[in-house]
Amino acid sequence: MLTSDAIREFWDQGFLVIPQICTPQEVDRLCDVYDRLFAQRVGWQKGDFFDFAGPDTPESPPVLPQLLDPSRYEPSLKKIAFRTNALAIARQLLGPSAELVFEHAMLKPPRIGAETPWHQDEAFYPIYTNYQSITFWMPLQPVDRLNGCMEFIAGSHAGPVLPHRRINNDPRLHGLEVYGADVSQAVSCPLPAGGATVHHCRTLHHAGPNLSEGPRRAYSLGFGVRSRAFTLRTEFPWNAVRTSARDQRADEAQGAIRRYMSHLRKTARAILR
């Protein structure tokens, strides 16, 4: 549980470092789960497994593989201490109605793991999102600038969502990068395995490439408070065109009719609000 000073620091800076959020034993178990899920590339056909920073084709070794909703493929992840403790802290920061709104697993392979560009999480929100989130990021091994620890711009959460584009302005890539932002005052946050950072969805953040000899694994959980008052009613221009290989697989897995009906339901809810 956070102290009042820690809560105030989070809202002043837009991020917070938590020295430890789960046990070393749980970290060891999670490493085994990670290695199996990523080796099997579970969720590839549905678009849940994809390369965040590369072309995301079967022929190309992924440089920043990610897995959305890993607990869908490994239900035991729903019962880990990281999830329980993160939810308790999220409710301290956001209120008692905070709930899990997304989760994803990330892997940066040894020596070739790509940089995660500077971005704001809210830039990924699709139209009709009705929450603002905070994200817990937990490494499964010690992290520093050599293998890609998190870096933040303090106070950036107080500003607007800045202009983004696909990485290298390449519409085939899934990841986003901010442009025109001053990131000269970055704060690096090295952590032990099982430590965590938590940041606001508008906080500018980044993680460097993995230049080490071992994998850099990280697990993220996002929590938000759903609201009738807040709804993203217009699509961000950088999200309006879905052309990445991951998007195409997800669309094909969902099917045109289900995708159309989902859009109608979201539109109706937005109008009612």
Side-chain angles (χ1 to χ4, degrees):
M1 302 298 286
L2 301 180
T3 65
S4 57
D5 286 344
I7 294 172
R8 184 163 51 250
E9 180 182 348
F10 173 82
W11 288 111
D12 285 345
Q13 302 296 313
F15 69 94
L16 185 68
V17 174
I18 301 171
Q20 202 72 31
I21 199 168
C22 76
T23 66
Q25 292 78 13
E26 180 167 277
V27 170
D28 290 341
R29 291 195 298 270
L30 288 174
C31 286
D32 292 338
V33 171
Y34 258 57
D35 291 344
R36 175 168 50 81
L37 295 180
F38 278 87
Q40 295 173 351
R41 299 167 69 94
V42 298
W44 168 264
Q45 293 297 334
K46 293 182 178 180
D48 288 341
F49 185 97
F50 61 96
D51 190 353
F52 184 87
D56 195 28
T57 62
E59 303 79 25
S60 305
V63 295
L64 211 173
Q66 297 196 1
L67 174 61
L68 301 179
D69 298 323
S71 63
R72 177 186 301 174
Y73 303 96
E74 180 56 56
S76 66
L77 294 176
K78 296 179 180 179
K79 300 177 181 179
I80 60 176
F82 173 42
R83 196 180 184 111
T84 301
N85 293 338
L87 175 60
I89 294 171
R91 287 179 172 170
Q92 280 191 279
L93 293 171
L94 299 175
S97 59
E99 60 181 286
L100 186 75
V101 293
F102 64 84
E103 60 170 323
H104 63 285
M106 296 156 284
L107 174 66
K108 292 192 176 185
R111 298 178 301 280
I112 64 167
E115 170 191 22
T116 306
W118 286 100
H119 68 281
Q120 296 164 295
D121 290 343
E122 193 173 339
F124 283 95
Y125 283 8
I127 190 171
Y128 304 140
T129 298
N130 68 323
Y131 60 79
Q132 289 185 306
S133 64
I134 60 175
T135 299
F136 290 77
W137 186 93
M138 182 180 73
L140 304 187
Q141 66 293 301
V143 288
D144 54 25
R145 297 192 70 182
L146 179 66
N147 63 350
C149 67
M150 291 286 276
E151 299 183 89
F152 301 99
I153 301 299
S156 55
H157 66 301
V161 177
L162 300 171
H164 285 66
R165 63 188 179 194
R166 298 292 168 178
I167 296 174
N168 296 328
N169 209 22
D170 185 339
R172 298 172 300 170
L173 303 187
H174 175 81
L176 295 176
E177 61 183 4
V178 72
Y179 61 95
D182 180 7
V183 296
S184 61
Q185 303 301 312
V187 179
S188 295
C189 298
L191 284 170
T197 59
V198 54
H199 65 269
H200 189 270
C201 60
R202 288 197 179 180
T203 303
L204 274 167
H205 59 286
H206 158 273
N210 180 13
L211 304 178
S212 75
E213 297 299 315
R216 197 226 65 179
R217 311 173 187 90
Y219 193 3
S220 284
L221 298 175
F223 296 88
V225 175
R226 298 188 187 275
S227 170
R228 296 178 64 85
F230 174 79
T231 300
L232 183 64
R233 293 181 175 271
T234 57
E235 194 82 84
F236 290 126
W238 48 85
N239 291 332
V241 180
R242 295 162 54 92
T243 58
S244 73
R246 180 260 162 186
D247 290 329
Q248 293 171 14
R249 291 198 306 277
D251 287 346
E252 290 171 3
Q254 186 179 31
I257 294 177
R258 288 175 59 193
R259 189 164 61 253
Y260 178 68
M261 294 302 296
S262 175
H263 177 74
L264 285 182
R265 287 194 295 270
K266 291 179 180 179
T267 303
R269 287 197 294 266
I271 291 172
L272 291 174
R273 287 193 179 99

Coordinates of all heavy atoms in Angstrom, one line a residue, residues 197-267:
T197 N 7.2 0.1 -12.0 CA 6.8 1.5 -12.2 C 5.3 1.5 -12.4 O 4.7 0.6 -12.9 CB 7.6 2.2 -13.3 OG1 7.3 1.5 -14.5 CG2 9.1 2.2 -13.0
V198 N 4.7 2.6 -12.1 CA 3.3 2.9 -12.4 C 3.3 4.3 -13.0 O 3.9 5.2 -12.5 CB 2.4 2.7 -11.2 CG1 2.8 3.6 -10.0 CG2 0.9 3.0 -11.6
H199 N 2.6 4.4 -14.2 CA 2.5 5.7 -14.8 C 1.1 6.0 -15.3 O 0.3 5.1 -15.6 CB 3.5 5.9 -15.9 CG 3.3 4.9 -17.1 ND1 3.9 3.7 -17.1 CD2 2.6 5.1 -18.2 CE1 3.5 3.1 -18.3 NE2 2.7 3.9 -19.0
H200 N 0.8 7.3 -15.5 CA -0.5 7.8 -16.0 C -0.5 7.6 -17.5 O 0.6 7.6 -18.2 CB -0.6 9.3 -15.7 CG -2.0 9.8 -16.0 ND1 -2.3 10.4 -17.2 CD2 -3.1 9.9 -15.2 CE1 -3.5 10.8 -17.2 NE2 -4.1 10.5 -16.0
C201 N -1.7 7.5 -18.1 CA -1.8 7.2 -19.5 C -1.3 8.3 -20.4 O -1.1 8.1 -21.6 CB -3.2 6.8 -19.9 SG -4.4 8.1 -19.5
R202 N -1.1 9.5 -19.9 CA -0.6 10.6 -20.7 C 0.9 10.9 -20.4 O 1.5 11.8 -21.0 CB -1.4 11.9 -20.5 CG -2.8 11.8 -21.1 CD -3.4 13.2 -21.3 NE -4.7 13.1 -21.9 CZ -5.5 14.1 -22.2 NH1 -5.1 15.4 -21.8 NH2 -6.7 13.9 -22.8
T203 N 1.5 10.2 -19.5 CA 2.9 10.4 -19.2 C 3.8 9.9 -20.3 O 3.7 8.7 -20.8 CB 3.3 9.6 -17.9 OG1 2.5 10.1 -16.8 CG2 4.7 9.9 -17.5
L204 N 4.6 10.7 -20.9 CA 5.6 10.3 -21.9 C 6.6 9.3 -21.3 O 7.2 9.6 -20.3 CB 6.3 11.6 -22.4 CG 5.7 12.4 -23.6 CD1 6.4 13.7 -23.7 CD2 5.7 11.6 -24.9
H205 N 6.8 8.2 -22.0 CA 7.7 7.2 -21.5 C 8.4 6.5 -22.7 O 7.9 6.6 -23.8 CB 7.0 6.2 -20.6 CG 5.9 5.5 -21.2 ND1 4.6 6.1 -21.4 CD2 5.7 4.2 -21.6 CE1 3.8 5.2 -21.9 NE2 4.5 4.0 -22.0
H206 N 9.4 5.7 -22.4 CA 10.3 5.2 -23.4 C 11.1 4.1 -22.7 O 11.3 4.1 -21.5 CB 11.2 6.3 -23.9 CG 12.5 5.8 -24.5 ND1 13.6 5.6 -23.8 CD2 12.8 5.6 -25.8 CE1 14.6 5.3 -24.6 NE2 14.1 5.2 -25.8
A207 N 11.5 3.1 -23.5 CA 12.5 2.1 -23.0 C 13.5 1.8 -24.1 O 13.1 1.6 -25.2 CB 11.8 0.8 -22.5
G208 N 14.8 1.9 -23.7 CA 15.8 1.7 -24.7 C 15.9 0.2 -25.2 O 15.2 -0.7 -24.8
P209 N 16.8 0.0 -26.2 CA 16.9 -1.4 -26.7 C 17.6 -2.3 -25.7 O 18.2 -1.8 -24.7 CB 17.8 -1.2 -27.9 CG 18.6 0.1 -27.6 CD 17.7 1.0 -26.8
N210 N 17.5 -3.6 -25.9 CA 18.2 -4.6 -25.1 C 19.5 -4.9 -25.7 O 19.6 -5.6 -26.7 CB 17.3 -5.8 -24.9 CG 18.0 -6.9 -24.1 OD1 18.9 -6.6 -23.4 ND2 17.5 -8.1 -24.1
L211 N 20.6 -4.3 -25.1 CA 21.9 -4.6 -25.6 C 22.6 -5.6 -24.7 O 23.8 -5.8 -24.9 CB 22.7 -3.3 -25.6 CG 22.1 -2.1 -26.4 CD1 22.9 -0.8 -26.2 CD2 21.9 -2.5 -27.8
S212 N 21.9 -6.2 -23.8 CA 22.5 -7.2 -22.9 C 22.5 -8.6 -23.6 O 22.0 -8.8 -24.7 CB 21.8 -7.3 -21.6 OG 20.5 -8.0 -21.8
E213 N 23.1 -9.6 -22.9 CA 23.2 -11.0 -23.4 C 22.0 -11.8 -23.0 O 22.0 -13.0 -23.3 CB 24.5 -11.6 -22.8 CG 25.8 -10.9 -23.3 CD 25.9 -10.9 -24.8 OE1 25.7 -12.0 -25.4 OE2 26.2 -9.9 -25.4
G214 N 21.1 -11.3 -22.2 CA 19.9 -12.0 -21.8 C 18.6 -11.4 -22.2 O 18.6 -10.2 -22.6
P215 N 17.5 -12.1 -22.2 CA 16.2 -11.5 -22.6 C 15.7 -10.5 -21.6 O 16.1 -10.6 -20.4 CB 15.3 -12.7 -22.6 CG 15.9 -13.7 -21.7 CD 17.4 -13.5 -21.8
R216 N 15.0 -9.5 -22.1 CA 14.4 -8.5 -21.1 C 12.8 -8.7 -21.2 O 12.2 -8.4 -22.2 CB 14.7 -7.1 -21.5 CG 14.4 -6.1 -20.4 CD 13.7 -4.9 -20.8 NE 12.4 -5.1 -21.3 CZ 11.5 -4.2 -21.8 NH1 11.9 -2.9 -21.8 NH2 10.3 -4.5 -22.2
R217 N 12.3 -9.3 -20.2 CA 10.9 -9.6 -20.1 C 10.2 -8.6 -19.2 O 10.8 -8.2 -18.2 CB 10.7 -11.0 -19.5 CG 11.5 -12.2 -20.1 CD 11.3 -13.4 -19.3 NE 12.1 -14.5 -19.7 CZ 13.3 -14.8 -19.2 NH1 13.8 -14.0 -18.2 NH2 14.0 -15.9 -19.5
A218 N 9.0 -8.2 -19.6 CA 8.2 -7.3 -18.7 C 6.8 -7.6 -18.9 O 6.3 -8.0 -19.9 CB 8.5 -5.8 -19.1
Y219 N 6.0 -7.3 -17.8 CA 4.6 -7.6 -17.8 C 3.9 -6.3 -17.4 O 4.3 -5.7 -16.4 CB 4.3 -8.7 -16.7 CG 3.0 -9.3 -16.7 CD1 2.0 -9.0 -17.7 CD2 2.6 -10.3 -15.8 CE1 0.7 -9.6 -17.7 CE2 1.4 -10.9 -15.8 CZ 0.4 -10.5 -16.7 OH -0.8 -11.1 -16.7
S220 N 2.9 -5.9 -18.2 CA 2.2 -4.7 -17.9 C 0.7 -5.0 -17.6 O 0.1 -5.8 -18.3 CB 2.2 -3.7 -19.1 OG 3.5 -3.1 -19.2
L221 N 0.2 -4.3 -16.6 CA -1.3 -4.3 -16.3 C -1.8 -2.9 -16.3 O -1.2 -2.0 -15.6 CB -1.5 -4.9 -14.9 CG -1.0 -6.4 -14.7 CD1 -1.2 -6.8 -13.3 CD2 -1.8 -7.3 -15.6
G222 N -2.9 -2.7 -16.9 CA -3.5 -1.3 -17.0 C -4.8 -1.3 -16.2 O -5.7 -2.3 -16.3
F223 N -5.0 -0.3 -15.4 CA -6.3 -0.2 -14.6 C -6.9 1.1 -14.9 O -6.2 2.1 -15.1 CB -6.0 -0.3 -13.1 CG -5.4 -1.7 -12.7 CD1 -4.0 -1.9 -12.7 CD2 -6.2 -2.7 -12.3 CE1 -3.5 -3.1 -12.4 CE2 -5.7 -3.9 -11.9 CZ -4.4 -4.2 -12.0
G224 N -8.2 1.2 -14.9 CA -9.0 2.4 -15.1 C -10.3 2.4 -14.4 O -10.7 1.4 -13.9
V225 N -10.9 3.6 -14.4 CA -12.3 3.7 -13.8 C -13.2 4.1 -15.0 O -13.0 5.1 -15.6 CB -12.3 4.8 -12.8 CG1 -13.8 5.0 -12.3 CG2 -11.5 4.4 -11.6
R226 N -14.1 3.2 -15.3 CA -15.0 3.4 -16.5 C -16.0 4.5 -16.1 O -16.5 4.6 -15.0 CB -15.7 2.1 -16.9 CG -14.7 1.1 -17.4 CD -15.4 -0.1 -18.0 NE -14.4 -1.2 -18.3 CZ -13.7 -1.2 -19.4 NH1 -13.8 -0.3 -20.3 NH2 -12.9 -2.2 -19.6
S227 N -16.3 5.4 -17.0 CA -17.1 6.6 -16.8 C -18.0 6.8 -17.9 O -17.7 6.7 -19.1 CB -16.2 7.8 -16.5 OG -17.0 9.0 -16.5
R228 N -19.3 7.3 -17.6 CA -20.2 7.7 -18.6 C -19.8 9.1 -19.1 O -20.2 9.5 -20.2 CB -21.6 7.7 -18.1 CG -22.1 6.4 -17.7 CD -23.5 6.5 -17.1 NE -24.5 7.0 -18.1 CZ -25.1 6.3 -19.0 NH1 -24.9 4.9 -19.0 NH2 -25.9 6.8 -19.8
A229 N -19.0 9.9 -18.3 CA -18.7 11.2 -18.7 C -17.6 11.3 -19.7 O -17.5 12.3 -20.4 CB -18.4 12.0 -17.4
F230 N -16.6 10.4 -19.6 CA -15.5 10.4 -20.5 C -15.6 9.4 -21.6 O -15.6 8.2 -21.3 CB -14.2 10.2 -19.7 CG -13.0 10.1 -20.6 CD1 -12.4 11.3 -21.1 CD2 -12.4 8.9 -21.0 CE1 -11.3 11.2 -21.9 CE2 -11.3 8.8 -21.8 CZ -10.8 10.0 -22.3
T231 N -15.7 9.8 -22.8 CA -15.7 8.9 -24.0 C -14.9 9.6 -25.1 O -15.1 10.7 -25.4 CB -17.1 8.6 -24.5 OG1 -17.9 8.0 -23.4 CG2 -17.1 7.7 -25.7
L232 N -13.9 8.8 -25.7 CA -13.2 9.3 -26.8 C -14.1 9.2 -28.0 O -14.4 8.1 -28.5 CB -11.9 8.5 -27.0 CG -11.0 8.9 -28.1 CD1 -10.4 10.3 -27.9 CD2 -9.8 7.9 -28.3
R233 N -14.6 10.4 -28.5 CA -15.6 10.4 -29.6 C -15.0 10.5 -31.0 O -15.8 10.3 -31.9 CB -16.6 11.5 -29.3 CG -17.4 11.3 -28.1 CD -18.4 12.4 -27.9 NE -19.3 12.1 -26.7 CZ -20.4 11.5 -26.8 NH1 -20.8 11.0 -27.9 NH2 -21.1 11.2 -25.7
T234 N -13.8 10.8 -31.1 CA -13.2 10.9 -32.4 C -11.9 10.1 -32.5 O -11.1 10.1 -31.5 CB -12.9 12.3 -32.8 OG1 -12.0 12.9 -31.9 CG2 -14.1 13.2 -33.0
E235 N -11.7 9.4 -33.5 CA -10.5 8.5 -33.7 C -9.2 9.4 -33.8 O -9.3 10.4 -34.6 CB -10.6 7.6 -34.9 CG -9.6 6.5 -35.0 CD -10.0 5.3 -34.1 OE1 -10.8 4.5 -34.6 OE2 -9.5 5.2 -33.0
F236 N -8.2 9.1 -33.1 CA -6.9 9.8 -33.4 C -6.5 9.5 -34.8 O -6.6 8.4 -35.3 CB -5.8 9.3 -32.4 CG -6.0 9.7 -31.0 CD1 -6.0 8.7 -30.0 CD2 -6.2 11.0 -30.6 CE1 -6.2 9.1 -28.7 CE2 -6.3 11.4 -29.3 CZ -6.3 10.5 -28.3
P237 N -6.0 10.5 -35.5 CA -5.7 10.4 -37.0 C -4.7 9.3 -37.2 O -4.7 8.6 -38.2 CB -5.2 11.7 -37.4 CG -4.8 12.5 -36.1 CD -5.7 11.9 -35.1
W238 N -3.7 9.1 -36.3 CA -2.7 8.0 -36.5 C -3.3 6.6 -36.3 O -2.7 5.6 -36.7 CB -1.6 8.2 -35.6 CG -1.9 8.5 -34.1 CD1 -2.2 7.5 -33.2 CD2 -2.1 9.7 -33.5 NE1 -2.5 8.2 -32.0 CE2 -2.5 9.5 -32.2 CE3 -1.9 11.1 -34.0 CZ2 -2.7 10.5 -31.2 CZ3 -2.2 12.1 -33.0 CH2 -2.5 11.8 -31.7
N239 N -4.5 6.5 -35.7 CA -5.2 5.2 -35.6 C -6.3 5.0 -36.6 O -6.9 3.9 -36.6 CB -5.8 5.1 -34.2 CG -4.7 5.0 -33.1 OD1 -3.6 4.5 -33.3 ND2 -5.0 5.4 -31.9
A240 N -6.6 6.0 -37.4 CA -7.7 5.9 -38.3 C -7.5 4.8 -39.4 O -8.5 4.2 -39.9 CB -8.0 7.3 -38.9
V241 N -6.3 4.6 -39.8 CA -6.0 3.7 -40.9 C -5.3 2.5 -40.2 O -4.2 2.6 -39.7 CB -5.1 4.3 -42.0 CG1 -4.9 3.3 -43.1 CG2 -5.9 5.5 -42.6
R242 N -5.9 1.3 -40.3 CA -5.3 0.1 -39.7 C -4.7 -0.7 -40.9 O -5.4 -1.4 -41.6 CB -6.4 -0.7 -39.0 CG -7.0 0.0 -37.9 CD -8.3 -0.6 -37.5 NE -8.3 -2.1 -37.3 CZ -8.0 -2.6 -36.1 NH1 -7.8 -1.9 -35.0 NH2 -8.0 -3.9 -36.0
T243 N -3.3 -0.7 -41.0 CA -2.7 -1.3 -42.1 C -1.6 -2.3 -41.6 O -0.9 -2.9 -42.5 CB -2.1 -0.3 -43.1 OG1 -1.1 0.5 -42.3 CG2 -3.1 0.5 -43.7
S244 N -1.3 -2.4 -40.3 CA -0.3 -3.3 -39.9 C -0.7 -4.8 -40.0 O -1.9 -5.1 -40.1 CB 0.1 -3.1 -38.4 OG -0.9 -3.6 -37.5
A245 N 0.3 -5.7 -40.1 CA 0.0 -7.1 -40.2 C -0.8 -7.6 -39.0 O -1.7 -8.4 -39.1 CB 1.3 -7.9 -40.4
R246 N -0.5 -7.0 -37.8 CA -1.3 -7.4 -36.6 C -2.7 -7.0 -36.8 O -3.6 -7.8 -36.4 CB -0.6 -6.8 -35.4 CG -1.3 -7.1 -34.1 CD -2.2 -6.1 -33.6 NE -3.2 -6.6 -32.6 CZ -4.2 -6.0 -32.1 NH1 -4.4 -4.7 -32.5 NH2 -5.0 -6.5 -31.2
D247 N -3.0 -5.8 -37.2 CA -4.4 -5.3 -37.4 C -5.1 -6.2 -38.4 O -6.3 -6.6 -38.2 CB -4.4 -3.9 -37.9 CG -3.9 -2.9 -36.8 OD1 -4.1 -3.2 -35.6 OD2 -3.4 -1.9 -37.2
Q248 N -4.5 -6.6 -39.5 CA -5.1 -7.4 -40.5 C -5.5 -8.8 -39.9 O -6.6 -9.3 -40.2 CB -4.2 -7.5 -41.7 CG -4.1 -6.2 -42.4 CD -3.0 -6.3 -43.5 OE1 -2.6 -7.3 -43.9 NE2 -2.6 -5.1 -44.0
R249 N -4.6 -9.4 -39.2 CA -4.9 -10.7 -38.6 C -6.1 -10.6 -37.6 O -6.9 -11.5 -37.5 CB -3.7 -11.3 -37.9 CG -2.6 -11.7 -38.8 CD -1.6 -12.6 -38.1 NE -1.0 -12.1 -36.9 CZ 0.0 -11.3 -36.8 NH1 0.6 -10.8 -37.9 NH2 0.5 -10.8 -35.6
A250 N -6.1 -9.5 -36.8 CA -7.1 -9.4 -35.8 C -8.5 -9.2 -36.5 O -9.5 -9.7 -36.1 CB -6.8 -8.2 -34.9
D251 N -8.5 -8.4 -37.6 CA -9.7 -8.2 -38.3 C -10.2 -9.4 -38.9 O -11.4 -9.7 -38.9 CB -9.5 -7.1 -39.4 CG -9.4 -5.7 -38.8 OD1 -9.7 -5.5 -37.6 OD2 -8.9 -4.8 -39.6
E252 N -9.3 -10.2 -39.5 CA -9.7 -11.5 -40.1 C -10.3 -12.5 -39.1 O -11.2 -13.2 -39.4 CB -8.5 -12.1 -40.9 CG -8.2 -11.3 -42.1 CD -6.8 -11.8 -42.7 OE1 -6.3 -12.8 -42.2 OE2 -6.4 -11.2 -43.7
A253 N -9.6 -12.5 -37.9 CA -10.1 -13.4 -36.9 C -11.5 -13.0 -36.4 O -12.3 -13.9 -36.0 CB -9.1 -13.4 -35.7
Q254 N -11.7 -11.7 -36.3 CA -13.0 -11.3 -35.8 C -14.1 -11.5 -36.8 O -15.3 -11.8 -36.5 CB -13.0 -9.8 -35.4 CG -14.2 -9.3 -34.7 CD -14.1 -7.8 -34.3 OE1 -13.4 -7.0 -34.9 NE2 -14.8 -7.5 -33.2
G255 N -13.8 -11.2 -38.1 CA -14.8 -11.4 -39.1 C -15.6 -10.0 -39.4 O -15.8 -9.2 -38.4
A256 N -16.0 -9.8 -40.6 CA -16.6 -8.5 -41.0 C -17.9 -8.2 -40.2 O -18.1 -7.1 -39.8 CB -16.8 -8.5 -42.5
I257 N -18.7 -9.3 -40.1 CA -20.0 -9.0 -39.5 C -19.9 -8.7 -38.0 O -20.5 -7.8 -37.5 CB -20.9 -10.3 -39.7 CG1 -21.3 -10.4 -41.2 CG2 -22.2 -10.1 -38.9 CD1 -22.1 -11.7 -41.5
R258 N -19.1 -9.5 -37.3 CA -18.9 -9.2 -35.9 C -18.2 -7.9 -35.7 O -18.5 -7.2 -34.7 CB -18.0 -10.3 -35.3 CG -18.7 -11.7 -35.1 CD -17.8 -12.8 -34.6 NE -17.2 -12.4 -33.3 CZ -16.2 -13.1 -32.8 NH1 -15.6 -14.1 -33.5 NH2 -15.7 -12.7 -31.6
R259 N -17.3 -7.5 -36.5 CA -16.6 -6.2 -36.4 C -17.6 -5.1 -36.6 O -17.6 -4.1 -35.9 CB -15.5 -6.1 -37.4 CG -14.6 -4.9 -37.2 CD -13.3 -5.1 -38.0 NE -13.5 -5.2 -39.4 CZ -13.3 -6.3 -40.1 NH1 -13.0 -7.5 -39.5 NH2 -13.5 -6.4 -41.4
Y260 N -18.5 -5.2 -37.6 CA -19.5 -4.2 -37.9 C -20.5 -4.1 -36.7 O -20.8 -3.0 -36.3 CB -20.3 -4.6 -39.1 CG -21.4 -3.6 -39.5 CD1 -21.1 -2.3 -39.9 CD2 -22.7 -4.0 -39.4 CE1 -22.1 -1.4 -40.2 CE2 -23.7 -3.1 -39.7 CZ -23.4 -1.8 -40.1 OH -24.4 -0.9 -40.4
M261 N -20.9 -5.2 -36.1 CA -21.9 -5.2 -35.0 C -21.2 -4.6 -33.8 O -21.9 -3.8 -33.0 CB -22.4 -6.6 -34.7 CG -23.2 -7.2 -35.8 SD -24.7 -6.2 -36.2 CE -25.6 -6.3 -34.7
S262 N -19.9 -4.9 -33.6 CA -19.2 -4.3 -32.4 C -19.2 -2.8 -32.6 O -19.4 -2.0 -31.6 CB -17.8 -4.9 -32.3 OG -17.1 -4.2 -31.3
H263 N -18.9 -2.3 -33.8 CA -18.9 -0.9 -34.0 C -20.2 -0.2 -33.8 O -20.3 0.9 -33.2 CB -18.4 -0.6 -35.5 CG -18.4 0.9 -35.8 ND1 -17.4 1.7 -35.4 CD2 -19.3 1.6 -36.6 CE1 -17.7 2.9 -35.9 NE2 -18.8 2.9 -36.6
L264 N -21.3 -0.9 -34.2 CA -22.6 -0.3 -34.0 C -22.9 -0.2 -32.5 O -23.5 0.8 -32.0 CB -23.7 -1.2 -34.7 CG -23.8 -1.1 -36.2 CD1 -24.9 -2.0 -36.7 CD2 -24.1 0.3 -36.6
R265 N -22.6 -1.3 -31.7 CA -22.8 -1.2 -30.3 C -22.1 -0.1 -29.6 O -22.6 0.6 -28.8 CB -22.4 -2.6 -29.6 CG -23.4 -3.7 -29.9 CD -23.2 -4.9 -29.0 NE -21.8 -5.5 -29.3 CZ -21.6 -6.4 -30.1 NH1 -22.6 -6.9 -30.9 NH2 -20.4 -6.9 -30.3
K266 N -20.8 0.1 -30.0 CA -20.0 1.2 -29.4 C -20.6 2.5 -29.8 O -20.6 3.5 -28.9 CB -18.6 1.0 -29.9 CG -17.8 -0.2 -29.3 CD -16.4 -0.2 -29.8 CE -15.7 -1.4 -29.2 NZ -14.3 -1.5 -29.8
T267 N -21.0 2.7 -31.0 CA -21.6 3.9 -31.5 C -22.9 4.3 -30.7 O -23.1 5.4 -30.2 CB -21.9 3.9 -33.0 OG1 -20.7 3.6 -33.7 CG2 -22.4 5.2 -33.5

